Amino acid sequence: MLTNGSIVTEFILVGFQQSSTSTRALLFALFLALYSLTMAMNGLIIFITSWTDPKLNSPMYFFLGHLSLLNVCFITTTIPQMLIHLVVRDHTVSFVCCMTQMYFVFCVGVAECILLAFMAYDRYVAICYPLNYVQIISQKVCVRLVGTAWFFGLINGIFLEYISFREPFRRDNHIENFFCEAPIVTGLSCGDPQFSLRAIFADAIVVILSPMVLTVTSYVHILATILSKASSSGRGKTFSTCASHLTVVIFLYTSAMFSYMNPHSTHGPDKDKPFSLLYTIITPMCNPIIYSFRNKEIKEAMVRALGRTRLAQPQSV
């Protein structure tokens, strides 16, 4: 219990605390399976694109490897803690742990939003300007683009951390979500949180809405190019690929926009948790399926990697 004037030193993540024991057990099994599957799929993509197969030495697979790394980092910042809280009664987290979790959510989330936009631009150049692709998207440019995504994530995390925790906390310390989410935490601070929420809103326009516009614009140009040049069979394949990519992008951007660009009055546990689950676990799980496992070269690389593993086993015995 907090007394008047006492400073908050810990938060309570309400999450699924009000659910029945059987419901929490079911959610634990479900989220553990999704987390394990997501880690396995993204880990496999990182392994294949980074070390095992020289045939995947192209900008697209370089970006895919880093996207999978971001997926692993992002899902690990929130889901393990949620799994623990589904099986224990104590849902408290220290002030420092909450700050740390929020920083990594900011950092990795922003980096992923920007990287997805760069990946869309990469596909735009590859399809619309195939003859100049190697010159435009060189290895040096790829490194710079990925470095830019990480840099903006790191800097943006520091900025949002300051905005969220600039005021002391002496109010209710219950967070109506399964992790420390900025708009909810900011609403618990002393004084008028409107300045902080407006700053978060303005930041979201830059790091969420701008990459989304770039991504959608790139795919519009891609579709226009395909419609004017490709055969009917090629059009169908490209439409399918672009639609799946855009689905993942829209999932991530719209759920993040709801969480960080909506007025504080519209937030609530019944609204926040579904969108939070969408961008913290569903999107990282869908990314490798949509971007990689539908890719013929990735499938062939997996077969080759598994073949080498089976051949190596008898030799090591």
Side-chain angles (χ1 to χ4, degrees):
M1 294 289 293
L2 289 174
T3 59
N4 291 335
S6 63
I7 297 176
V8 171
T9 58
E10 61 184 22
F11 293 99
I12 299 174
L13 296 175
V14 176
F16 301 97
Q17 194 175 34
Q18 306 302 323
S19 302
S20 65
T21 303
S22 58
T23 301
R24 291 201 302 272
L26 180 62
L27 290 174
F28 176 83
L30 174 63
F31 291 137
L32 178 61
L34 292 177
Y35 177 70
S36 302
L37 180 63
T38 303
M39 292 292 287
M41 290 190 299
N42 283 288
L44 182 59
I45 291 171
I46 294 170
F47 180 66
I48 289 174
T49 56
S50 302
W51 293 292
T52 63
D53 207 309
K55 291 186 178 181
L56 301 182
N57 186 23
S58 69
M60 182 177 71
Y61 298 112
F62 178 77
F63 290 134
L64 281 175
H66 281 275
L67 178 64
S68 291
L69 177 61
L70 286 170
N71 288 334
V72 168
C73 295
F74 192 63
I75 196 172
T76 303
T77 61
T78 56
I79 302 306
Q81 181 186 66
M82 182 185 68
L83 291 173
I84 293 172
H85 287 173
L86 283 170
V87 296
V88 300
R89 293 185 179 274
D90 185 10
H91 289 198
T92 60
V93 292
S94 68
F95 193 88
V96 173
C97 286
C98 189
M99 288 183 65
T100 303
Q101 184 183 57
M102 279 179 58
Y103 175 77
F104 282 109
V105 169
F106 288 146
C107 173
V108 179
V110 168
E112 183 166 343
C113 287
I114 296 174
L115 184 61
L116 283 171
F118 288 155
M119 291 174 66
Y121 174 72
D122 169 70
R123 292 298 84 206
Y124 160 71
V125 175
I127 293 173
C128 299
Y129 301 97
L131 298 179
N132 299 322
Y133 177 71
V134 176
Q135 288 75 28
I136 297 174
I137 310 293
S138 63
Q139 186 65 29
K140 185 180 292 186
V141 170
C142 290
V143 172
R144 287 177 179 173
L145 291 177
V146 170
T148 299
W150 278 105
F151 175 78
F152 272 99
L154 293 168
I155 297 300
N156 194 77
I158 295 172
F159 169 72
L160 288 177
E161 195 85 341
Y162 167 74
I163 290 297
S164 300
F165 291 96
R166 55 190 290 271
E167 299 283 354
F169 289 77
R170 292 191 178 94
R171 296 181 180 179
D172 182 19
N173 64 341
H174 288 71
I175 298 174
E176 296 286 345
N177 211 329
F178 58 88
F179 73 102
C180 295
E181 193 167 39
I184 302 175
V185 174
T186 302
L188 301 177
S189 64
C190 294
D192 185 7
Q194 290 307 311
F195 172 79
S196 297
L197 292 173
R198 282 195 293 267
I200 292 173
F201 178 86
D203 181 77
I205 291 177
V206 176
V207 301
I208 298 176
L209 198 59
S210 298
M212 182 178 178
V213 170
L214 176 59
T215 302
V216 173
T217 302
S218 296
Y219 279 113
V220 167
H221 284 289
I222 288 171
L223 291 174
T225 300
I226 294 300
L227 285 172
S228 62
K229 295 180 180 179
S231 62
S232 58
S233 59
R235 288 175 189 172
K237 182 179 179 181
T238 303
F239 272 125
S240 174
T241 302
C242 289
S244 59
H245 288 193
L246 280 172
T247 300
V248 172
V249 167
I250 290 171
F251 276 165
L252 174 64
Y253 288 146
T254 54
S255 56
M257 286 167 62
F258 176 87
S259 297
Y260 293 93
M261 297 181 70
N262 257 12
H264 179 66
S265 59
T266 64
H267 287 274
D270 294 334
K271 297 178 182 178
D272 290 326
K273 275 186 281 192
F275 282 95
S276 298
L277 286 170
L278 189 60
Y279 76 82
T280 57
I281 190 167
I282 302 301
T283 301
M285 182 185 68
C286 290
N287 278 342
I289 297 173
I290 299 299
Y291 282 95
S292 301
F293 292 129
R294 295 185 54 180
N295 184 294
K296 183 180 178 182
E297 291 180 333
I298 287 283
K299 291 179 182 177
E300 292 175 350
M302 288 180 182
V303 171
R304 288 193 294 270
L306 291 173
R308 284 196 295 268
T309 302
R310 289 170 181 169
L311 288 173
Q313 285 176 349
Q315 296 175 2
S316 60
V317 174

